[in-house]
Amino acid sequence: MANIRESLSNIMEIDGAKGAALVDYQSGMTLGTAGGRDVDMELAGAANTEIVRTKKSVLDKLGLDDKIEEILISLEGEYHLIRVFHENENVFTYVMLDRDKANLGLARMDLQRIDEDLVLE
């Protein structure tokens, strides 16, 4: 079991990880951040609440009885990966990955493992 700080630290050990945030999508409040250098990870995490809210709204409007697991945004130089927390669909992890250094498949597997170990207190 890992807390927020430990989970964010584990995310930053993923090859190519540039920054991470754990966010409550309903309030838009960032619960914790790591990395980011030139990027305000608190702002980036909070801003991605709109992506999660929009996708949830689309699922509802389409009448799909399913839950979001991940959302991937591919940029020329980065992957932006949103993973909804398996124990609480109101919380998600937002991760920026350097596209040249990251292995997307392995990063997704690592995030799943980190998600399963995370305990919110």
Side-chain angles (χ1 to χ4, degrees):
M1 298 296 173
N3 63 27
I4 293 170
R5 181 176 292 129
E6 293 166 336
S7 293
L8 289 168
S9 177
N10 290 338
I11 290 170
M12 293 308 295
E13 291 178 11
I14 295 173
D15 287 341
K18 294 174 70 174
L22 190 67
V23 182
D24 178 323
Y25 104 90
Q26 286 192 320
S27 69
M29 185 175 105
T30 302
L31 306 175
T33 65
R37 289 190 196 163
D38 299 331
V39 175
D40 181 342
M41 291 308 298
E42 189 165 334
L43 175 62
N48 277 284
T49 60
E50 292 305 317
I51 293 170
V52 175
R53 286 178 184 154
T54 299
K55 189 60 187 173
K56 284 181 177 278
S57 175
V58 169
L59 291 175
D60 290 344
K61 288 177 183 175
L62 293 175
L64 299 176
D65 185 28
D66 212 345
K67 294 181 181 179
I68 298 169
E69 184 175 291
E70 295 175 337
I71 299 170
L72 172 64
I73 301 167
S74 297
L75 304 177
E76 288 182 2
E78 295 176 336
Y79 293 121
H80 290 219
L81 188 57
I82 297 168
R83 180 172 180 81
V84 177
F85 184 47
H86 79 284
E87 290 290 327
N88 182 343
E89 65 183 55
N90 296 329
V91 177
F92 67 87
T93 304
Y94 166 69
V95 184
M96 289 174 37
L97 299 164
D98 182 313
R99 195 170 177 148
D100 292 332
K101 296 178 183 175
N103 177 316
L104 186 56
L106 290 176
R108 291 179 63 218
M109 287 173 39
D110 288 340
L111 282 175
Q112 180 179 354
R113 179 186 46 77
I114 291 166
D115 169 34
E116 291 171 354
D117 289 342
L118 175 64
V119 176
L120 297 176
E121 299 173 357

